[in-house]
Amino acid sequence: MAPSTVIDRLGIPKALVFGYLGVLLFMVGDGVESGFIAPYMADHGAGNEINASYVITAYGITVMLASWLSGALSDLWGPRRVMQLGLAVWIVFDILFLALALGPQNYPLMLVFYGLRGFGYPLFAFGFLVWITATAPNARMGTAVGWFYVAFTGGLPTIGSLVAGVTNPWFGSFGTLWIALGIIAVGGAFCLLGVRERTGFTRLAPPGVKPVQSLLSSLSIAWTHPKVAVGCVVRIINTAPEFGFLVFLPTFFAKELGFGEGRWLTLLAVIYGTNVFCNLLFGWIGDKIGWRRTIAGFGGVGCAVTTLTLYFVPKAVGSHYWVAIVVGMLYGITLAGFVSISALIPALAPDNKGGAMALLNLGAGGAAFVGPAIVSIFLGPLGPDGVVIIFAGLYVVAALLTLYLKMPEETAEAAPPAAPPTVEPEAVRT
């Protein structure tokens, strides 16, 4: 039967509409800080940009762990309960970070509270992603996941950066961080009070599966389904440069090129605003021409090129803002080429989709650790130029790895036909 509503035609599961809106608001609150938190911490207790990158790397470690747990715990508890936990963790440790660490400029407590806060958003956002994959029809899964990333990237860092551009001049950066906390609380309320779809209220794993068994299953799938493990690596590479860029590009564009914080935040919003619209487009393209082709061609190869242009073209031409806008949009477009990875990976393990999503979410969270970690290690000895080249090389690796991620039916089609059975001639009667 044809879809009966506009929402159905758009590919959004109707029962989850308020969840998409809630994730958008939550990630707006999360994304408010993305364009200025590293230099702000450097100037308010961290001491320098590299020390600030250590704080963000600690945050990335907990994001990575929570991203893995979001899938495994959703299997055991149900996605809604995992989202509740994520919201509570974020609110508690964000208050501690602002009140006891950033406000008094206490660097050790920055490491502790900002790091622990990293458990919050993956449990909330990726718990909802598991909810989507458990309810959306497979034929429209790419589009449904694309809408999730519209909401996710629409908040972090797109609309979040625009909010910061408006509120920072009025309330200061520190006041803006408190406003962001309020936005996150509103987003959480939309999700947890507005979504009544019952699948997410109960555990997804079969009744006999125990907690340790579920957690081990979400790891053992890496060797029982090696393509899922490769997909996890591709997912890490997908957004690792994005998180790494947020450590040193604010200084490059705002200070070295002289754009200032306001125009840098606008540029950041333009980059990821372009990505938001293209996430939906590439979700649809992936459903039409194949998820693997879309990821390898538009995502891997495309981002390898646009990563280099994002940094080296503005560096070569100087303070020409519209040049930065254009190359930023190109990066945002190609980054959307990876959106179908969230549809492809569960399809590679149809017998253990929960474990596949857990490992995929581990990759998504791992990006928040790997990107800043690369900056922490290589920014000193190689400078920004060397870090950008490393990121471009990683995208080439992602394109090559994606070629390995053939669906079961593709592998079956490529296999040579079996030879007909040999019929032994009957013995000659004498």
Side-chain angles (χ1 to χ4, degrees), residues 80-151:
R80 187 174 187 271
R81 187 174 172 191
V82 173
M83 294 174 70
Q84 290 174 324
L85 177 62
L87 179 64
V89 166
W90 181 279
I91 289 175
V92 168
F93 285 106
D94 196 38
I95 291 172
L96 292 174
F97 169 68
L98 295 175
L100 302 181
L102 192 60
Q105 301 188 22
N106 186 316
Y107 180 67
L109 288 183
M110 285 185 199
L111 284 164
V112 173
F113 293 137
Y114 195 80
L116 290 174
R117 194 190 71 173
F119 281 105
Y121 98 72
L123 293 176
F124 185 87
F126 295 136
F128 184 66
L129 180 59
V130 173
W131 203 338
I132 293 170
T133 60
T135 56
N138 194 58
R140 300 175 70 84
M141 186 68 73
T143 306
V145 169
W147 277 111
F148 169 81
Y149 283 105
V150 167

Side-chain angles (χ1 to χ4, degrees), residues 258-293:
F259 293 158
E261 183 182 77
R263 289 205 294 173
W264 153 245
L265 291 172
T266 301
L267 171 61
L268 191 62
V270 168
I271 292 172
Y272 292 100
T274 305
N275 177 253
V276 165
F277 291 107
C278 290
N279 277 335
L280 181 58
L281 172 64
F282 280 108
W284 178 82
I285 290 173
D287 286 341
K288 295 298 181 183
I289 71 170
W291 300 328
R292 190 168 58 94
R293 281 193 198 119

Side-chain angles (χ1 to χ4, degrees), residues 39 111 114 126 146 176 203 222 228 240 298 302 308 349 361:
L111 284 164
Y114 195 80
F126 295 136
T176 291
R203 60 183 280 149
V228 174
F298 292 103
L308 297 173
N361 290 344

Side-chain angles (χ1 to χ4, degrees), residues 6 13 15 24 53 142 180 257 259 291 395 399:
V6 173
L24 172 63
S53 75
L257 294 184
F259 293 158
W291 300 328
Y395 279 126

Side-chain angles (χ1 to χ4, degrees), residues 2 7 18 37 92 97 112 228 303 329 377 396 400:
I7 290 172
F18 281 104
I37 191 65
V92 168
F97 169 68
V112 173
V228 174
C303 282
M329 290 176 68
I377 294 168
V396 173
L400 295 174

Side-chain angles (χ1 to χ4, degrees), residues 214-385:
S214 177
L215 292 173
L216 290 177
S217 173
S218 67
L219 291 177
S220 64
I221 194 173
W223 56 85
T224 60
H225 296 75
K227 289 181 182 179
V228 174
V230 172
C232 175
V233 175
V234 173
R235 183 62 186 87
I236 290 173
I237 295 172
N238 172 193
T239 48
E242 174 187 339
F243 287 103
F245 281 149
L246 293 175
V247 176
F248 68 92
L249 284 190
T251 299
F252 172 69
F253 281 109
K255 296 182 179 179
E256 292 183 27
L257 294 184
F259 293 158
E261 183 182 77
R263 289 205 294 173
W264 153 245
L265 291 172
T266 301
L267 171 61
L268 191 62
V270 168
I271 292 172
Y272 292 100
T274 305
N275 177 253
V276 165
F277 291 107
C278 290
N279 277 335
L280 181 58
L281 172 64
F282 280 108
W284 178 82
I285 290 173
D287 286 341
K288 295 298 181 183
I289 71 170
W291 300 328
R292 190 168 58 94
R293 281 193 198 119
T294 305
I295 296 164
F298 292 103
V301 175
C303 282
V305 174
T306 58
T307 292
L308 297 173
T309 60
L310 176 64
Y311 175 77
F312 286 107
V313 170
K315 182 177 180 179
V317 302
S319 301
H320 295 281
Y321 189 61
W322 287 106
V323 172
I325 289 285
V326 170
V327 296
M329 290 176 68
L330 291 174
Y331 177 67
I333 290 169
T334 56
L335 190 63
F338 283 97
V339 72
S340 295
I341 193 75
S342 295
L344 175 61
I345 299 308
L348 294 174
D351 56 325
N352 190 2
K353 285 190 175 183
M357 285 304 301
L359 206 62
L360 179 69
N361 290 344
L362 175 65
F369 162 67
V370 171
I374 289 173
V375 176
S376 298
I377 294 168
F378 294 106
L379 185 62
L382 300 181
D385 297 34

